[in-house]
Structures are given as structure tokens and as C-alpha cells.
Amino acid sequence: KFKIMKIKKLILSILIASVNSLVLASFNDVNAQNSKSLIKSIAGGQIDWTNKVVIVKGQGAPPSTGGLPQKRLKARLAARTDAYRNLAEIVNGVQVTSETLVKNFVTVSDVTKLRVDAVVKGARQYGEEKYLSDGSVEVSLALSLFGNGSVASALELGNYIKDKETIESMLPDTRIASLNDFAIPEKKPVKISLEDSGNITGLIVDASGLGVEPAMSPFIVGGGKIVYAGGKIDVDPEKIVKYGVNDYTDDLDAAKKDVNRVGTSPLIIEAKGATGKPNRTNILLDEMTLKTIIEANEKHKFLNNLNVVIVI
């Protein structure tokens, strides 16, 4: 019996190690493709906007009494508790739109709060725990912003973006904005380029240098209307939850290489400015560029398929 139990424990440890390795490898593979990640560091963790994941650390100190195995176990449990606490705090501070955070959704809806709590508790361990020289243990957790069991699914983000009230709440910012509401560099030329005019597979918006802040749901606006997401573009809400409305990067060349998102022949445009209150998460375009995008999308449907990368 002792041998059988020992073998079972060995198999279980191998399975756990394999799962953790797969989780770690999946994030490392993405990081390899996006060498420059947009990371917002916060006490206890970080939001990686390029790879759409929240990663946090938790630490636990061992108790003063007990044997070494017991001390390690209790330190590990304390570390996981600390990590979950940090994760809940960071997730509540994730920017959803220019004027809303996750905590705004949680505050107004008990159902949403329960869903957010559930996805936080379902966060995956990121790598193996670290046993430090002082006896304490460090544990990392990872939670996806989009996909199954993600923050977006807990918020039902797709339905929120498509909701009429959400769109209407954004419109005044595009209709009556003054120059003080926009981050527009002087004499910034707006450029449009397309290598293959026969087939447009996606859209790259170069908004670098405009002070754009990443969010789960940025809007492309201009001419008194929202072009994307929301507005007249028919986007599947489930796709928004699964993939997010766009990818982020801080490098134009990296955006061009993101063929999984924008394909091999993306339309590349330069944004006119950044807008949004209190956070500038939205992209402002001039009317000529808007017209070009809308006309191209009517034929190629790249907006409908969420084939968008924003460079900030």
C-alpha cells in the first residue's frame, strides 16, 4: 500500500508540474511573439496588456512551530491567500472603458461581483512556487483578461459594449469636445498605407506618442460617432469576450508581425489624437480616415472580425 500511495503521489506531482509548465509555456510563447509587452506594474503584480493577462505574486511566511513539511505547507497556503488578495485588488482596478473600471461593474451588480470573485478564485498558478532561504514561499497566479473564465466573461463585456446606453454615454465626448479634451500633437500628419490594395486583412492604428492608455474596451471615434467597437459595426459579443476588441503593442513592426490578429495585408493608419474622460483610452480619427476605414470594412469586414491592433 505504501508503494502504491508513493507512486500515486509521484504521478500527481508530475501531472501538476506538467500543467504548470503548459501554463507557463503558453505565456512564454506569447511573450516570445510580442517581445515588447505593454506592462502596467502595480504593487503585488502587473497587467500585461499585450498578452491580455494579469499576473500577481503572493508571499507567505512559515509559522514558528512545527516540522519543516508542515511549515512549508502553511507558508504555501499563506502565499496563495496573499496572491488571491492581490489579484482581486488589481482586477478591480483594470480599466474597461475611459470612464469605468472593473470595480464600477462590481459595485452596481451583486451578480457581476459574484462572477468576478469566481474567476479570481479560478486563477491559474503561474510557474512553480519559490521556496526562499528564510523559509517563506512565493506563489504567482495568472488570470486572463479575455477568453473562457476571464475577466471579460465575468463582466459580459460583449453585451456591455454593444449596449445602446454604453454607446450613447460615449458620444458626447466626440460631439462637444474642446481642444483640451484631446491629446493632439501639433501638425501631426495623418497617414494611410496599404501594401496590398486587393485584400485588406486587418487594421493597425498607430497612436504612438499620443498618451493613449490601454483598456479592455477602447473606442475608435470621430465625426460625432463611434466607429469601433459599438456603433454600426456588427461585432459578435461572444467574440469580444473571447478575443478582446483589439491587440496592443508599443512597436509598429511588432504590430505588422501580429498576423494572427491583422493578417498579412493590414490597413495602417495614424491616429489624429487620444480622447476619453477621465482616461484617454479612445482613438480619435479625422473624417477622411474614418471614411476610408468604413468603406474598406464594408468590403473586407476586418472590423467585424476584430482584426485590429493599436500601437501606443
Side-chain angles (χ1 to χ4, degrees):
K1 290 183 179 179
F2 177 76
K3 288 183 178 180
I4 293 174
M5 289 179 65
K6 195 171 182 180
I7 292 172
K8 285 183 177 179
K9 286 183 178 180
L10 178 61
I11 294 173
L12 181 60
S13 64
I14 292 173
L15 287 174
I16 292 173
S18 299
V19 170
N20 287 335
S21 297
L22 287 172
V23 173
L24 180 61
S26 64
F27 286 122
N28 286 341
D29 287 343
V30 178
N31 279 314
Q33 297 172 12
N34 302 289
S35 57
K36 292 186 176 182
S37 295
L38 286 168
I39 295 176
K40 182 178 181 180
S41 296
I42 304 172
Q46 62 186 31
I47 305 172
D48 184 339
W49 285 102
T50 299
N51 298 316
K52 306 183 186 72
V53 63
V54 180
I55 300 174
V56 301
K57 292 181 180 180
Q59 289 190 330
S64 57
T65 59
L68 180 59
Q70 187 178 25
K71 284 184 176 181
R72 282 191 168 183
L73 177 60
K74 290 186 176 181
R76 182 176 179 274
L77 290 173
R80 289 185 68 83
T81 300
D82 185 45
Y84 281 117
R85 182 170 54 248
N86 291 334
L87 183 59
E89 184 175 345
I90 291 178
V91 166
N92 277 327
V94 171
Q95 199 76 41
V96 180
T97 67
S98 63
E99 55 187 21
T100 59
L101 304 171
V102 170
K103 66 180 180 182
N104 299 125
F105 289 78
V106 170
T107 302
V108 300
S109 171
D110 290 337
V111 174
T112 302
K113 182 180 185 304
L114 290 173
R115 288 200 299 259
V116 171
D117 288 344
V119 298
V120 167
K121 291 176 181 177
R124 298 170 292 179
Q125 184 167 321
Y126 182 63
E128 297 182 359
E129 57 267 14
K130 296 180 181 178
Y131 294 92
L132 307 180
S133 58
D134 62 355
S136 62
V137 177
E138 184 178 276
V139 173
S140 296
L141 298 177
L143 178 61
S144 297
L145 291 175
F146 300 93
N148 295 327
S150 67
V151 178
S153 65
L155 300 180
E156 294 187 336
L157 187 63
N159 293 330
Y160 174 76
I161 293 174
K162 299 290 290 182
D163 186 76
K164 184 179 179 182
E165 291 184 5
T166 304
I167 297 172
E168 289 178 347
S169 70
M170 302 297 298
L171 286 175
D173 195 35
T174 68
R175 288 174 176 166
I176 58 175
S178 65
L179 288 177
N180 292 329
D181 297 325
F182 299 105
I184 304 177
E186 294 183 4
K187 299 180 181 179
K188 179 179 174 65
V190 176
K191 296 180 180 179
I192 302 174
S193 64
L194 180 62
E195 296 180 1
D196 181 5
S197 58
N199 180 38
I200 300 175
T201 58
L203 175 67
I204 296 176
V205 181
D206 185 359
S208 55
L210 297 177
V212 176
E213 299 177 46
M216 293 183 71
S217 177
F219 290 81
I220 296 178
V221 301
K225 58 186 173 182
I226 293 176
V227 183
Y228 176 87
K232 295 182 179 180
I233 303 299
D234 184 20
V235 179
D236 183 356
E238 291 185 6
K239 280 189 175 181
I240 292 175
V241 169
K242 189 173 182 179
Y243 303 109
V245 298
N246 64 281
D247 280 356
Y248 279 112
T249 181
D250 63 357
D251 183 77
L252 182 58
D253 288 334
K256 294 176 182 178
K257 293 176 183 178
D258 191 357
V259 293
N260 289 332
R261 192 75 188 212
V262 294
T264 56
S265 302
L267 178 67
I268 304 172
I269 63 103
E270 287 192 7
K272 184 67 176 178
T275 180
K277 295 180 181 180
N279 300 287
R280 288 171 172 158
T281 65
N282 301 323
I283 308 300
L284 177 68
L285 303 180
D286 65 279
E287 291 193 28
M288 184 177 294
T289 304
L290 275 177
K291 183 179 180 182
T292 299
I293 293 174
I294 292 172
E295 289 179 352
N297 185 68
E298 287 177 354
K299 182 178 180 180
H300 301 286
K301 305 297 181 185
F302 49 88
L303 294 183
N304 305 68
N305 294 321
L306 306 174
N307 298 334
V308 179
V309 173
I310 298 177
V311 183
I312 64 175

